[in-house]
């Protein structure tokens, strides 16, 4: 239909779908997990909460990245559209890398107890760093006339984000908090780590 021109604007549909997907994954789930990670993990590690300006700095690059992608991918065109897509990718990459690096530094400077949540948090941080690199690659791929990332690359990156970057932080918070809710001790490493290792092996 898009090629025949029978429906005006039909060529935008793939770009709209992809922009909507990343608005949900990066703009909703990603921002939520980033906020929880920056708020909870210092407490889990026995450190003071991060300074307000640090959190705002991360927010200041993650939010515009989502907005730019929503605008640029479906609607912008030509050189201007390509520039907006690259800016969105770079801003998102800086924010994602900041989240991953902050988590790693927080854990390294916190208490060194051998608790399962630490390993899930570290794995999640590593996937956030990889996500940062993939954002740039995907942004470069989306600067052509089609204005969206090829499906094979986008699908792979989506699974990395859902299971690796986001899934590990879910495991982190659950393994640390849920036992407290039910008046139980944290699960030992031998019970908690093998499923987490399988999860990350599957993502890889």
């Amino acid at each position: 239909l898009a090629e025949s021109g029978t429906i005006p604007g039909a060529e935008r549909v793939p770009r709209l779908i992809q922009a909507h997907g990343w608005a949900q994954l990066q703009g909703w789930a990603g921002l939520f997990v980033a906020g929880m990670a920056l708020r909870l993990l210092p407490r889990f590690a026995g450190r003071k909460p991060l300074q307000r300006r640090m959190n705002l700095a991360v927010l200041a690059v993650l939010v515009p990245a989502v907005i730019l992608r929503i605008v640029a991918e479906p609607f912008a065109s030509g050189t201007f559209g390509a520039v907006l897509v690259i800016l969105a990718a770079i801003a998102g990459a800086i924010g994602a890398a900041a989240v991953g690096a902050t988590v790693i530094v927080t854990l390294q400077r916190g208490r060194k107890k051998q608790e399962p949540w630490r390993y899930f948090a570290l794995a999640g941080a590593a996937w956030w760093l990889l996500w940062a690199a993939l954002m740039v690659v995907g942004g470069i791929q989306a600067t052509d006339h089609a204005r969206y990332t090829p499906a094979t690359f986008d699908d792979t990156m989506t699974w990395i984000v859902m299971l690796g970057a986001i899934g590990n932080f879910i495991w982190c918070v659950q393994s640390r908090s849920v036992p407290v809710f039910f008046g139980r001790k944290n699960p030992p490493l031998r019970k908690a780590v093998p499923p987490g290792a399988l999860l990350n092996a599957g993502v890889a």
Side-chain angles (χ1 to χ4, degrees):
L1 290 177
E3 293 177 355
S4 64
T6 56
I7 300 179
E11 73 281 355
R12 298 182 188 273
V13 171
R15 290 180 273 165
L16 284 165
I17 293 173
Q18 193 170 93
H20 173 264
W22 278 101
Q24 297 296 311
L25 192 59
Q26 185 180 345
W28 179 70
L31 285 174
F32 185 84
V33 170
M36 294 293 286
L38 297 179
R39 173 66 175 170
L40 287 180
L41 293 188
R43 294 178 179 271
F44 287 178
R47 291 183 55 80
K48 294 180 180 180
L50 296 175
Q51 295 182 1
R52 184 170 180 268
R53 65 174 182 271
M54 294 179 63
N55 291 323
L56 290 178
V58 175
L59 189 68
V61 287
L62 286 179
V63 172
V66 178
I67 295 174
L68 280 174
R69 180 158 184 157
I70 293 173
V71 172
E73 192 166 14
F75 303 112
S77 60
T79 302
F80 178 68
V83 170
L84 288 182
V85 169
I86 287 295
L87 288 177
I90 293 174
I94 292 173
V99 172
T102 301
V103 169
I104 292 173
V105 171
T106 297
L107 295 179
Q108 290 299 317
R109 294 182 178 180
R111 59 171 181 251
K112 300 298 191 289
K113 290 185 178 180
Q114 299 299 309
E115 298 171 321
W117 68 266
R118 292 178 54 86
Y119 300 100
F120 299 139
L122 285 171
W127 289 114
W128 272 80
L129 292 175
L130 178 60
W131 184 12
L134 294 178
M135 279 190 198
V136 176
V137 176
I140 293 173
Q141 292 183 341
T143 57
D144 61 10
H145 68 282
R147 196 66 75 240
Y148 61 88
T149 307
T152 51
F153 185 88
D154 190 70
D155 288 348
T156 301
M157 186 162 56
T158 300
W159 283 106
I160 287 174
V161 175
M162 288 194 302
L163 296 181
I166 293 175
N168 273 289
F169 280 115
I170 293 174
W171 279 57
C172 166
V173 174
Q174 287 184 335
S175 65
R176 177 65 173 78
S177 300
V178 173
V180 177
F181 296 160
F182 292 95
R184 298 177 62 87
K185 296 180 179 179
N186 288 333
L189 292 177
R190 60 184 174 81
K191 290 185 177 181
V193 169
L198 290 173
L199 169 70
N200 285 280
V203 180

